[in-house]
Amino acid sequence: MSEKMSKSYTLYIKAFTPETIPMARLAQYMQNLAAMLGHENAVHFQTLKPGSTQLVTTIDHEDVPKVANHLAQVKRGEGSPDATKAQAEIDRLLAEDNATGFVYEDEDESAEIIAFPGVTRPKPRSYGPFNQEGSLDGILISVSGADQTVHLQLQNGEIKYTGIDTNRETARRLAKHMYEPVRIFGTGRWLRDPKGNWILKKFRVDSYTVLAADDLKDAIDQMRDIEGSEWKNMDDPISALKALREKGNGLH
């Protein structure tokens, strides 16, 4: 290691003090700061400074340009996946600690390189639920219900659609296509969670169509990909589907 160190980067954590920050929490910040700076063999812990908690690192002289370029890419949103993940994790830790933070260069706290909004970042919101007309594809795996509303389930790869309702007449016709790939049409009630995922709360079926033989093969391939699925060990899954359809034809 070179003895000449000419550059430092400090993570300013606006929470705790060097005496009060839990060791495990400090280790999390250190690990992610090292990953964000990159070139981990050239990055060294120097000290903790007061002023909330300031985690000071030093960079080997010969690697200063590499680390500076790496940080510039992170700031532009062009960092490596590991650096980007570490940047997001530091921000998450700060939010949990009800704090904000930033990285600055050398001894000048105004030389801010990367800011972390932490607790001040707007909280993700859920949206909906919304009603929207559309369709769902999948293998029909369940038709059940004794009253006027019948409940269906579709399997599409690892996704299982539940909360699907229809009337008895549509269900009776659909039941003839048990374990076949179908496309159902109707109105869905959707909710978008804080992570941006759309969640189906309910779907009312108005009509349907049976998908082609090629789609059946694709659907079987999807079911074979499911972890722990028995379909991947079957020599003739299409015949197995036909047998299941004949055995399970009708409402449950």
Side-chain angles (χ1 to χ4, degrees):
M1 181 181 70
S2 171
E3 296 182 357
K4 185 178 181 181
M5 306 248 186
S6 61
K7 179 67 64 177
S8 69
Y9 292 103
T10 300
L11 173 61
Y12 196 125
I13 304 167
K14 295 186 178 181
F16 306 110
T17 67
E19 293 76 24
T20 62
I21 187 168
M23 181 182 295
R25 198 56 154 188
L26 177 61
Q28 288 178 291
Y29 279 113
M30 291 180 70
Q31 179 181 9
N32 285 287
L33 178 59
M36 191 184 73
L37 292 173
H39 306 283
E40 295 182 15
N41 290 333
V43 178
H44 310 279
F45 170 70
Q46 183 178 33
T47 188
L48 284 180
K49 289 171 53 178
S52 295
T53 304
Q54 300 186 52
L55 175 54
V56 185
T57 67
T58 54
I59 312 300
D60 287 344
H61 174 72
E62 60 269 21
D63 290 293
V64 166
K66 296 177 184 178
V67 174
N69 182 63
H70 184 80
L71 277 179
Q73 291 177 326
V74 173
K75 185 174 183 177
R76 294 195 302 267
E78 301 171 358
S80 67
D82 287 344
T84 301
K85 180 180 178 181
Q87 180 186 21
E89 182 64 9
I90 291 173
D91 196 57
R92 187 190 68 80
L93 292 170
L94 288 166
E96 287 187 355
D97 292 337
N98 198 35
T100 61
F102 59 92
V103 170
Y104 67 88
E105 187 175 0
D106 294 330
E107 299 297 322
D108 185 1
E109 293 182 15
S110 66
E112 182 178 298
I113 297 175
I114 296 176
F116 297 97
V119 70
T120 63
R121 183 182 297 278
K123 299 293 187 296
R125 297 176 55 190
S126 297
Y127 294 93
F130 304 102
N131 289 338
Q132 183 172 344
E133 293 184 358
S135 65
L136 297 174
D137 292 356
I139 293 176
L140 181 64
I141 61 172
S142 176
V143 180
S144 61
D147 54 18
Q148 293 302 311
T149 299
V150 182
H151 310 288
L152 314 176
Q153 291 185 20
L154 298 182
Q155 182 86 46
N156 188 330
E158 295 186 358
I159 301 172
K160 180 183 289 186
Y161 293 114
T162 59
I164 305 172
D165 297 336
T166 192
N167 56 53
R168 289 186 64 85
E169 178 57 32
T170 302
R172 186 177 295 109
R173 289 186 280 112
L174 259 172
K176 298 176 182 178
H177 304 287
M178 185 69 71
Y179 303 109
E180 291 183 13
V182 297
R183 176 170 295 149
I184 57 175
F185 301 90
T187 301
R189 191 159 180 80
W190 297 87
L191 175 71
R192 195 178 79 171
D193 69 15
K195 294 183 179 180
N197 301 312
W198 285 99
I199 301 172
L200 178 64
K201 307 298 291 185
K202 188 175 182 180
F203 195 93
R204 181 68 180 180
V205 180
D206 297 326
S207 61
Y208 71 91
T209 184
V210 179
L211 298 180
D214 288 344
D215 296 313
L216 174 59
K217 180 181 180 300
D218 292 341
I220 291 170
D221 289 341
Q222 290 174 351
M223 294 187 76
R224 278 178 155 171
D225 289 339
I226 300 173
E227 187 69 26
S229 172
E230 296 179 359
W231 295 98
K232 65 177 62 178
N233 299 320
M234 292 184 182
D235 295 329
D236 190 358
I238 293 180
S239 295
L241 280 172
K242 290 179 180 178
L244 282 170
R245 186 172 67 248
E246 291 169 0
K247 182 185 296 185
N249 194 6
L251 302 181
H252 301 291

